[in-house]
Amino acid sequence: MTQPTEAERNAAMLQAERLGLALPAAALDGVVTNQQLLARHHAVVREALAEDAE
């Protein structure tokens, strides 16, 4: 995995703030990495479902 960009860090902080969550700075990169992994997983699942529908 690549290091999260500043924009990704800011987006994660904004999401946490909107949800009323406290996101410690030390956990920020891990949160962003988990979001990236989840997005990849969703993309793979969507692709597999699309192939099955064909």
Side-chain angles (χ1 to χ4, degrees):
M1 299 273 1
T2 61
Q3 290 295 321
T5 65
E6 192 63 30
E8 289 170 322
R9 288 184 185 101
N10 290 339
M13 290 298 290
L14 183 60
Q15 287 174 336
E17 184 178 308
R18 287 181 178 165
L19 294 170
L21 302 173
L23 183 57
L28 187 55
D29 285 355
V31 169
V32 172
T33 299
N34 285 340
Q35 288 175 333
Q36 291 170 340
L37 290 171
L38 185 59
R40 285 184 185 180
H41 172 74
H42 280 244
V44 169
V45 169
R46 281 191 304 266
E47 183 179 321
L49 289 173
E51 288 176 4
D52 286 347
E54 293 176 355

